[in-house]
Amino acid sequence: MSFTADRLLLFGATGDLSQRMLLPSLCALHADKLVADKVSIVGTARSDMDDTGFRNFAHDALNKFLPEHRKPAINSFLKRLTYQTLDANETAHYTALAGKVRPGGEGLAIFLSTAPSLFESTIAGLQASGLAGPKTRIGLEKPLGTSLETSRHINDAVARAFSEDRIFRIDHYLGKETVQNLLALRFANILFEPIWNAAHIEHVQITVGETVGLEGRVGFYDGAGALRDMVQNHMLQLLALVAMEPPAHYDATSVRDEKVKVLRSLRTVAAAETVRGQYGAGAIAGNAVPAYAEELGKASDTETFVAIKAHIDNWRWKGVPFYLRTGKRMTRRVTEIMIQFRPIPHSIFGGKGAHPVPNRLVIGIQPEENITVSLMAKVPGLDRGGISLREVPLDIAMDDAFAGPTRRIAYERLLLDLIEGDQTLFVRRDEVEAQWEWIDGVRDTWTENAIQPKSYFAGSWGPAAAVALAERDGVTWHEQG
Ligand code: BG6
């Protein structure tokens, strides 16, 4: 049902995500008048506070996390906020919440960023208090389970109260500008699509490197690990966008139909095609950082790094490996996709300096947003000994190309889409389940082969085995430190 919500209900309103991302994003949307004045925001969490207490809390968070030019909007934004203390397991608390949320109205958008263990009781409470009606949609933050089975359990619980067209599963990578730009690059240009296949692409690399470590998320991260924290969601979504067939339209059904086909075509991974790592002590940008086990306070066999050679078993990608790599405490923070094209079929140049290097397309997602195509060009000169060729980059920095428009953080877009009801950038149930199915396969392989994380130095690009994984195929990782 199409409606624009006039009320937003935030579960986990005092949490880290809310402080860093949700409240700042909502304030930015407010500052730019992108949400109607009538949209009220109710925060809820366990902390005992009244409306004023929550406004003070939000004020502090906004002061800390909003860029300076946004701060003048804080005071008027705070007027939208109210608060209701809630213990997710206390049915009676939902009645008070329902009163706060104002029954009736045009529609309600709920954003759940609480521990998944609370999802079921929260949904039951929402249903019992009449807050889950046909004019309510719900946004769900990850993690949505830890396996196919547990994710199905969560999805079933949500489906008992909400139809799929009212469920908005968040993968914040889909809210990133450059991730969406991938679709523009592929489908708004004639240049790439004819060669976007196994005949012309030799392999693809997707790297998500982070310099941060555990960041105090002891309870969550150690139970998850890099495979479930980063590959299951963000990296597989990037892979699906790179590999999918052209959707007929840019809408939720068409785009998600194509992504899920790719996810279902992923081949079960063999043990030799994966590397698990865990960072030891090291240094990043000249600063010493402790080992994972030291940050955690105990030994652990959780991986903080994963490299996988993935295969998509369909016509377009037959024989084209997708090398995926992500880790904490890497040399640099970088998210990028690299498309390695095949060599030209025949070189007409015979001179000593004339070795055409196969073209490469690098899509930088963060921290810099840029698109670089490496091309061969002739080195200027008289070429008495034959023509000389050199690789030169054709480089588009998105910041320079679009200096005017405001660059928005992922949650600004996702929250607006949730309020307005556009599901294109949210993950459908069949996608999440296909992602989990493949990830469960990787974990089974690890268990069957007793694969333990290999240590790597903090500040490096992961264990040597990750380099070997690519080098066995004559491939070098694009970011090699
Ligand atoms: C989250 C993970 O989903 O994504 C974190 O739980 C990770 O571990 C984060 O740090 C990375 O997001 P971004 O936007 O900084 O790349």
Coordinates of all heavy atoms in Angstrom, one line a residue, residues 21 141-142 172-173 176 208-210 212-213 215 217 220-221 229-230 233-234 328 333 335 366 411, ligand 1:
M21 N 24.3 7.8 13.3 CA 23.8 7.8 11.9 C 22.3 8.3 11.8 O 22.0 9.1 11.0 CB 23.8 6.4 11.3 CG 25.2 5.9 11.1 SD 26.0 6.8 9.7 CE 27.7 6.3 9.9
E141 N 17.3 -3.5 10.9 CA 18.8 -3.4 10.8 C 19.4 -4.8 10.9 O 18.8 -5.6 11.6 CB 19.3 -2.5 12.0 CG 19.8 -1.2 11.6 CD 20.9 -1.1 10.5 OE1 21.7 -2.1 10.3 OE2 20.9 -0.2 9.7
K142 N 20.5 -5.0 10.3 CA 21.2 -6.2 10.5 C 21.7 -6.3 11.9 O 21.8 -5.3 12.6 CB 22.4 -6.3 9.5 CG 23.5 -5.3 9.8 CD 24.6 -5.5 8.8 CE 25.7 -6.4 9.3 NZ 26.7 -5.7 10.1
H172 N 23.1 -1.0 4.6 CA 23.4 0.4 4.4 C 24.3 0.7 3.2 O 24.4 1.8 2.7 CB 23.9 1.1 5.6 CG 25.4 0.8 5.9 ND1 25.8 -0.3 6.6 CD2 26.5 1.6 5.7 CE1 27.1 -0.3 6.7 NE2 27.6 0.9 6.2
Y173 N 25.0 -0.4 2.7 CA 25.8 -0.2 1.5 C 24.9 0.2 0.3 O 25.4 1.0 -0.6 CB 26.6 -1.4 1.1 CG 28.0 -1.3 1.8 CD1 28.1 -1.1 3.1 CD2 29.2 -1.5 1.0 CE1 29.4 -1.0 3.7 CE2 30.4 -1.4 1.6 CZ 30.5 -1.1 3.0 OH 31.7 -1.0 3.6
K176 N 24.6 3.9 -0.2 CA 25.8 4.7 -0.6 C 25.7 5.2 -2.0 O 25.3 4.4 -2.9 CB 27.1 3.9 -0.4 CG 27.4 3.6 1.1 CD 28.7 2.9 1.2 CE 28.9 2.3 2.6 NZ 29.6 3.3 3.5
V208 N 36.8 -4.7 0.6 CA 36.3 -3.8 1.6 C 37.3 -3.8 2.8 O 37.3 -4.8 3.6 CB 34.9 -4.1 2.1 CG1 34.4 -3.1 3.1 CG2 33.9 -4.2 1.0
G209 N 38.2 -2.9 2.8 CA 39.2 -2.8 3.9 C 38.9 -1.8 4.9 O 38.4 -0.7 4.5
E210 N 39.0 -2.1 6.1 CA 38.8 -1.2 7.2 C 40.0 -1.1 8.1 O 40.8 -2.1 8.2 CB 37.6 -1.6 8.1 CG 36.3 -1.8 7.4 CD 35.2 -2.1 8.4 OE1 35.0 -3.3 8.7 OE2 34.6 -1.2 8.8
V212 N 39.7 0.1 11.3 CA 39.2 0.0 12.6 C 39.3 -1.5 13.1 O 39.4 -2.4 12.3 CB 37.7 0.4 12.8 CG1 37.5 1.9 12.6 CG2 36.8 -0.4 11.8
G213 N 39.3 -1.7 14.4 CA 39.3 -3.0 14.9 C 38.0 -3.4 15.5 O 36.9 -3.2 14.9
E215 N 36.3 -2.1 18.0 CA 35.5 -0.9 18.3 C 34.6 -1.1 19.5 O 33.4 -0.6 19.5 CB 34.7 -0.5 17.1 CG 35.5 0.2 16.0 CD 34.5 0.7 14.9 OE1 33.8 -0.1 14.3 OE2 34.5 1.9 14.7
R217 N 32.8 -3.5 20.2 CA 31.6 -4.4 19.9 C 31.9 -5.8 20.3 O 31.6 -6.7 19.5 CB 31.2 -4.3 18.4 CG 30.9 -2.9 18.0 CD 31.2 -2.8 16.5 NE 30.1 -3.3 15.7 CZ 30.2 -3.8 14.5 NH1 31.4 -3.9 14.0 NH2 29.1 -4.1 13.8
F220 N 29.0 -8.6 20.2 CA 28.4 -8.9 18.8 C 29.5 -9.5 17.9 O 29.3 -10.5 17.4 CB 27.9 -7.6 18.2 CG 27.7 -7.7 16.7 CD1 26.7 -8.6 16.2 CD2 28.5 -7.1 15.8 CE1 26.5 -8.8 14.9 CE2 28.4 -7.3 14.5 CZ 27.4 -8.1 14.0
Y221 N 30.6 -8.8 17.8 CA 31.6 -9.1 16.7 C 32.2 -10.5 16.9 O 32.3 -11.3 15.9 CB 32.7 -8.1 16.6 CG 33.4 -8.3 15.3 CD1 33.0 -7.7 14.1 CD2 34.5 -9.1 15.2 CE1 33.6 -7.9 12.9 CE2 35.2 -9.3 14.0 CZ 34.7 -8.8 12.9 OH 35.3 -9.0 11.7
D229 N 29.6 -10.7 9.2 CA 29.4 -9.2 9.4 C 29.5 -8.4 8.1 O 28.8 -7.4 8.0 CB 30.5 -8.8 10.4 CG 30.3 -7.3 10.8 OD1 29.2 -6.9 11.0 OD2 31.3 -6.6 10.8
M230 N 30.3 -8.9 7.2 CA 30.6 -8.0 6.0 C 30.3 -8.8 4.7 O 29.8 -8.1 3.7 CB 32.0 -7.6 6.0 CG 32.5 -6.7 7.1 SD 31.6 -5.1 7.1 CE 32.4 -4.3 5.7
N233 N 26.3 -9.7 3.7 CA 25.4 -8.7 3.3 C 26.1 -7.7 2.3 O 25.8 -7.8 1.1 CB 25.0 -7.9 4.6 CG 26.2 -7.8 5.6 OD1 27.2 -7.3 5.3 ND2 26.0 -8.3 6.8
H234 N 27.0 -6.8 2.8 CA 27.5 -5.8 2.0 C 28.2 -6.3 0.7 O 28.0 -5.9 -0.4 CB 28.5 -4.9 2.7 CG 27.9 -4.4 4.1 ND1 26.6 -4.1 4.2 CD2 28.5 -4.3 5.3 CE1 26.4 -3.7 5.5 NE2 27.5 -3.8 6.1
K328 N 39.3 -6.3 9.0 CA 39.5 -5.2 9.9 C 41.1 -5.0 10.1 O 41.8 -5.9 9.8 CB 39.0 -5.6 11.3 CG 37.5 -5.9 11.4 CD 36.7 -4.7 11.6 CE 35.2 -5.0 11.7 NZ 34.3 -3.9 11.4
R333 N 41.6 2.3 4.7 CA 40.2 2.1 4.6 C 39.9 2.3 3.1 O 40.1 3.4 2.5 CB 39.5 3.2 5.4 CG 37.9 3.1 5.2 CD 37.2 4.0 6.1 NE 35.8 3.8 6.0 CZ 34.9 4.8 5.5 NH1 35.4 6.0 5.2 NH2 33.6 4.5 5.4
T335 N 37.0 0.8 0.0 CA 36.0 -0.1 -0.6 C 36.1 0.1 -2.1 O 35.9 1.3 -2.6 CB 34.6 0.2 -0.1 OG1 34.6 0.0 1.3 CG2 33.6 -0.8 -0.8
Q366 N 34.6 4.1 -1.4 CA 35.0 4.9 -0.3 C 36.5 4.6 0.0 O 37.0 3.6 -0.3 CB 34.1 4.7 0.9 CG 34.1 3.3 1.4 CD 33.0 3.0 2.5 OE1 32.1 3.8 2.6 NE2 33.2 2.0 3.3
Y411 N 22.3 6.6 5.3 CA 21.0 6.5 6.1 C 20.1 7.7 5.8 O 18.9 7.5 6.0 CB 21.4 6.5 7.6 CG 21.8 5.1 8.0 CD1 23.1 4.8 8.1 CD2 20.8 4.1 8.3 CE1 23.5 3.5 8.5 CE2 21.2 2.8 8.6 CZ 22.5 2.5 8.7 OH 22.9 1.2 9.1
Ligands
BG6_1 C1 28.7 -2.7 9.4 C2 29.6 -3.7 10.1 O1 27.6 -3.4 8.8 O2 29.5 -2.1 8.4 C3 30.8 -3.1 10.7 O3 28.8 -4.3 11.1 C4 31.6 -2.3 9.6 O4 31.7 -4.0 11.3 C5 30.6 -1.4 8.9 O5 32.6 -1.5 10.3 C6 31.3 -0.7 7.7 O6 30.5 0.3 7.2 P1 31.1 1.5 6.3 O7 30.0 2.2 5.8 O8 32.0 2.2 7.3 O9 31.9 0.8 5.3

